[in-house]
Amino acid sequence: ANRGGVTTTGLDEMRTAVQAFPQAVTLALREVAARTAQRVLAGARQRLLAQTSGTGRTAAAITVLDESHKQQFIVQSGPAPGSGKAANLPGWLEFGTIKMSPRPFLGPALKTESSQYLREMEAAAVAAAREAIE
């Protein structure tokens, strides 16, 4: 008896692409997150400098921490080295105190970037998916 068969080509290549897909998406999303963190950093520094009249050390102390093991970037504001100011100053500026009105800089910078971040993340994921299956 003659048994019919189907021959496929490209199956091994497709299997390899599918297996690489999670890593490709992760790398694409990481790039978006890194760019966004840098924009948040710049926006926070700009806002803080515009709202204060000090030396600029507190703004300069805002940094981006790359926590690759947790797949995240953290924009953080810590004490300004050599400023002689309290370590809590960034928090006091952001949220205010009993004696000082808030001068938010980090929250607004995050909010400004959130829509663009979501758009870029979606576009990066779709592009990585298309590249992996083509």
Side-chain angles (χ1 to χ4, degrees):
N2 183 6
R3 295 188 178 164
V6 175
T7 303
T8 59
T9 57
L11 186 57
D12 289 336
E13 291 83 359
M14 177 63 110
R15 186 174 293 130
T16 300
V18 168
Q19 289 171 343
F21 178 68
Q23 183 180 8
V25 171
T26 298
L27 291 174
L29 299 182
R30 176 180 165 70
E31 289 176 16
V32 171
R35 284 193 311 269
T36 302
Q38 290 301 318
R39 288 193 311 264
V40 169
L41 168 76
R45 282 183 177 168
Q46 181 181 22
R47 281 177 172 77
L48 188 55
L49 289 170
Q51 296 180 75
T52 58
S53 58
T55 63
R57 287 186 183 142
T58 303
I62 303 170
T63 59
V64 173
L65 177 62
D66 179 351
E67 289 193 339
S68 297
H69 63 286
K70 293 182 181 179
Q71 296 184 343
Q72 66 184 6
F73 291 89
I74 298 175
V75 180
Q76 61 186 8
S77 180
S83 69
K85 302 287 183 182
N88 295 338
L89 181 61
W92 296 339
L93 291 167
E94 183 75 21
F95 301 108
T97 68
I98 292 172
K99 297 180 180 184
M100 179 176 80
S101 296
R103 299 175 202 165
F105 57 97
L106 196 51
L110 289 166
K111 187 175 181 178
T112 297
E113 294 301 325
S114 65
S115 294
Q116 182 174 347
Y117 171 73
L118 292 173
R119 284 191 308 273
E120 287 183 15
M121 286 298 249
E122 182 180 1
V126 169
R130 284 190 177 137
E131 188 173 318
I133 61 174
E134 289 182 349

